[in-house]
Amino acid sequence: MTPHAKSPSVKVKSSSANGTDRGDGETVHAKNGARVESGSALKRRSHLRRTAQEDLHDLVCIGFGPASLAIAVALHDALDVPGLSPDLSSLHGRLPKVAFLERQRQFSWHAGMLLPGAKMQITFIKDMATLRNPRSEFTFINYLHENNRLVEFTNLNTFLPQRIEYEDYMRWCAGWFEDVVEYGQDVFQIMPEKSPRSNGKIDTFVVMSKNTKTGEITSRRTKQVVIAAGGRPSIPKPFPQRHPRVVHSSQFYYIAPKLLNDPRHPYKIAVVGSGQSAAEIFDNLHSHYPNARTSLLIKGAALRPSDDSPFVNEIFNPSRVDSTFTQSPALRAATIAEDRNTNYGVVRLELLERIYETIYTQRICYGSSPAEEARWPHRILPHRSVTRVEDLSASPEGVKLYVRDNSPLYESGASIGEEKEDIMDVDVVFVATGYARNVHEELLSDARGLMKGGVREGAKWEVSRDYRVQFAEGKVSEDAGVLLQGCCESTHGLSDTLLSILATRGGEVVKSIFGDTK
């Protein structure tokens, strides 16, 4: 094996005014004023090769984010060194016919939240390969080495790289797989298909997609499908779903500079949410718009720290997936609920301390009485929930928020029903309210007749330990199937939507599809 071998080189062209040309016809724009190069000065190519659209594929992956990228990396490594992987009998003497279909025009990971100074929340060792194969070419350490930053990174004395660097690492990994990735493909349908030789069983699936630029419809036939489409921004009621002044946190980096284009203007801004994204946005607004009045609305009493202590962090070990999956549904749901403070509605302690210092400085500058606090430019408002949203009658550039204030119940002993209602006129409201992970339900609508237990109103797809959709017995051939990634938290645990187990899980998926056992 040659874990750090360099493929035939292609010189990277010089930087353009707006970004860095990767030397392959695609420009990667600099973020936050930093010069970001996706990959080193050498162009690389994976062991996978393009499959003609009309050919029968072994595997089509829907989405090419971190989950699918980890599968691609695991498949490359398996072809590179078969001895490190389970016996992939179906690949002996041939290359797999695979395709990855991605709706975005290029690889991108949470680009709307790549804020200056934002750091990862997990160690870089949980990258696309290390926990499965630390000798892989796709480790974060090798990425640093190939980009001439390994020694300097060690001087940072941290396991938590900046988010902008980790996204560039994944972009570097993705660059190896350009032969098998089709960007700008929006998959909208998966259709089960029988052949005359299948004895009435489904033995292939037809994946339908639309080119986001041209509108052209294409289809690909495949034995196996992996749905790894990621989460869709969730904007809950009463917020309108599509409003130019109601912005989901996933779009913050793109939209904020357009709506708030004057850093010195006294904007009125609301941020809704109590997790890491809400806190990062609140902190960013304080730094970039010093004259703005920014309110962070949270349902609870205070921002709370995430628990990433060593013993608690073991819930994200790859081995925990087995024990979680085998628990009874009731016990599993209770365990996941108990551990939610490791990931949901919590903030890293370092950021909490920085925000607290901001609040404390306002006590010095403005005073601490209730009347003085009301004049603070940056406030955290606990026990608040938005009940109604309206356009401003006086100006089209803003919204009116009706906010239920439950703080009297906690602070002055008021009775239920004595809550206050505040009205806030704001220029924009940023909602950091998470993601819905149900794209697979729509994509598999044509396959509901194959559901285990029969079609039932409101029924959800069930999966096995290896993430395979459970079809009714005898309906689908053993060498065909659909696997779900990133939407199995209720059965596989809190790590399912995170980066923590991707390297190991990618290897498991490759084994499930191409190995001896199903």
Side-chain angles (χ1 to χ4, degrees):
M1 181 182 74
T2 55
H4 304 305
K6 297 178 179 179
S7 302
S9 63
V10 176
K11 294 289 186 180
V12 173
K13 298 176 183 177
S14 60
S15 299
S16 66
N18 296 320
T20 302
D21 193 318
R22 298 185 350 176
D24 55 2
E26 179 180 339
T27 296
V28 179
H29 293 284
K31 300 178 178 68
N32 306 322
R35 185 176 183 270
V36 180
E37 293 187 15
S38 185
S40 67
L42 299 174
K43 182 173 174 63
R44 291 163 175 77
R45 192 181 187 199
S46 77
H47 295 316
L48 306 177
R49 295 293 176 264
R50 186 178 300 276
T51 300
Q53 180 184 313
E54 61 273 12
D55 285 1
L56 176 62
H57 291 62
D58 298 303
L59 169 65
V60 171
C61 285
I62 299 170
F64 194 59
S68 286
L69 178 58
I71 294 171
V73 168
L75 190 51
H76 170 96
D77 283 355
L79 294 169
D80 192 36
V81 189
L84 286 182
S85 302
D87 181 23
L88 305 181
S89 57
S90 65
L91 295 181
H92 286 177
R94 73 179 184 93
L95 289 177
K97 294 184 176 182
V98 301
F100 298 85
L101 307 179
E102 169 57 45
R103 184 164 59 95
Q104 298 182 106
R105 300 301 299 175
Q106 63 178 13
F107 184 89
S108 180
W109 175 72
H110 291 308
M113 283 297 293
L114 294 179
L115 305 182
K119 291 188 176 183
M120 295 295 294
Q121 295 175 260
I122 65 168
T123 169
F124 67 79
I125 294 175
K126 296 180 178 181
D127 56 24
M128 296 293 105
T130 298
L131 295 185
R132 174 183 48 78
N133 174 17
R135 300 174 69 190
S136 168
E137 293 173 287
F138 293 93
T139 66
F140 183 77
I141 291 292
N142 188 44
Y143 155 79
L144 292 173
H145 169 71
E146 293 292 331
N147 282 275
N148 246 355
R149 295 201 304 272
L150 179 56
V151 172
E152 289 76 12
F153 183 85
T154 64
N155 293 335
L156 293 175
N157 196 30
T158 183
F159 281 91
L160 303 176
Q162 291 187 55
R163 199 177 294 159
I164 186 175
E165 182 172 36
Y166 203 81
E167 198 237 11
D168 189 61
Y169 155 67
M170 289 193 287
R171 192 188 296 273
W172 175 82
C173 291
W176 289 64
F177 298 97
E178 291 176 353
D179 280 356
V180 291
V181 181
E182 294 284 346
Y183 291 102
Q185 290 292 327
D186 187 7
V187 175
F188 61 88
Q189 191 175 25
I190 300 172
M191 297 185 296
E193 183 181 59
K194 300 176 184 177
S195 71
R197 300 178 300 278
S198 64
N199 297 321
K201 294 182 179 180
I202 301 300
D203 62 352
T204 56
F205 294 87
V206 179
V207 178
M208 305 292 297
S209 65
K210 181 172 71 171
N211 187 298
T212 58
K213 186 175 182 179
T214 67
E216 179 185 3
I217 303 296
T218 57
S219 64
R220 293 168 177 82
R221 296 176 62 246
T222 182
K223 301 292 290 184
Q224 310 272 357
V225 181
V226 168
I227 301 178
R232 291 185 294 194
S234 175
I235 300 181
K237 294 181 179 179
F239 296 101
Q241 295 301 303
R242 292 177 178 83
H243 193 289
R245 297 283 165 167
V246 178
V247 181
H248 190 268
S249 57
S250 61
Q251 297 297 307
F252 176 76
Y253 182 76
Y254 300 122
I255 302 299
K258 297 177 181 178
L259 296 182
L260 311 172
N261 56 19
D262 182 359
R264 311 303 300 179
H265 189 77
Y267 294 109
K268 291 177 291 184
I269 309 168
V271 183
V272 177
S274 56
Q276 183 74 18
S277 293
E280 287 181 2
I281 290 173
F282 182 71
D283 184 60
N284 180 272
L285 292 170
H286 157 69
S287 302
H288 289 77
Y289 301 94
N291 296 325
R293 291 182 59 84
T294 308
S295 301
L296 176 61
L297 310 180
I298 62 176
K299 289 185 177 181
L303 295 174
R304 300 185 181 278
S306 56
D307 187 347
D308 59 353
S309 55
F311 290 109
V312 170
N313 230 12
E314 287 189 342
I315 68 173
F316 300 116
N317 289 359
S319 60
R320 283 296 182 92
V321 178
D322 287 326
S323 58
T324 298
F325 186 81
T326 57
Q327 290 173 351
S328 69
L331 177 59
R332 186 167 58 227
T335 301
I336 291 174
E338 181 181 357
D339 293 333
R340 284 180 68 84
N341 67 337
T342 60
N343 186 52
Y344 295 107
V346 289
V347 184
R348 285 193 66 84
L349 183 59
E350 177 187 13
L351 178 56
L352 284 182
E353 291 173 340
R354 187 163 69 243
I355 292 175
Y356 192 88
E357 186 173 358
T358 296
I359 300 300
Y360 181 79
T361 300
Q362 293 183 135
R363 294 186 183 278
I364 300 173
C365 298
Y366 299 96
S368 296
S369 71
E372 291 166 332
E373 184 176 334
R375 295 196 296 270
W376 290 359
H378 306 288
R379 301 180 65 198
I380 299 175
L381 303 178
H383 304 299
R384 302 310 205 273
S385 56
V386 177
T387 60
R388 187 155 46 110
V389 180
E390 295 179 354
D391 287 328
L392 290 178
S393 57
S395 170
E397 298 184 352
V399 290
K400 184 186 296 290
L401 304 180
Y402 292 82
V403 181
R404 179 184 294 121
D405 178 5
N406 288 329
S407 60
L409 304 181
Y410 299 89
E411 297 170 1
S412 61
S415 303
I416 297 295
E418 295 184 28
E419 309 99 325
K420 297 188 297 182
E421 182 179 68
D422 296 328
I423 298 178
M424 300 176 60
D425 292 349
V426 297
D427 296 294
V428 60
V429 53
F430 296 103
V431 291
T433 46
Y435 297 84
R437 301 183 182 274
N438 56 4
V439 175
H440 62 285
E441 297 287 351
E442 297 177 12
L443 294 179
L444 291 173
S445 59
D446 287 328
R448 288 186 68 81
L450 306 173
M451 292 187 84
K452 181 181 178 180
V455 180
R456 307 179 306 280
E457 185 176 353
K460 304 295 183 182
W461 290 100
E462 300 176 11
V463 292
S464 59
R465 167 61 184 85
D466 64 351
Y467 304 94
R468 286 186 171 274
V469 168
Q470 295 292 283
F471 294 110
E473 187 175 354
K475 293 288 188 179
V476 178
S477 298
E478 291 185 2
D479 63 345
V482 177
L483 294 84
L484 304 183
Q485 298 282 276
C487 49
C488 305
E489 182 182 282
S490 63
T491 53
H492 288 67
L494 284 168
S495 62
D496 188 71
T497 63
L498 308 179
L499 299 175
S500 300
I501 63 169
L502 288 190
T504 303
R505 191 173 76 186
E508 292 176 350
V509 170
V510 169
K511 177 183 177 182
S512 177
I513 294 173
F514 296 105
D516 288 330
T517 58
K518 300 296 183 187

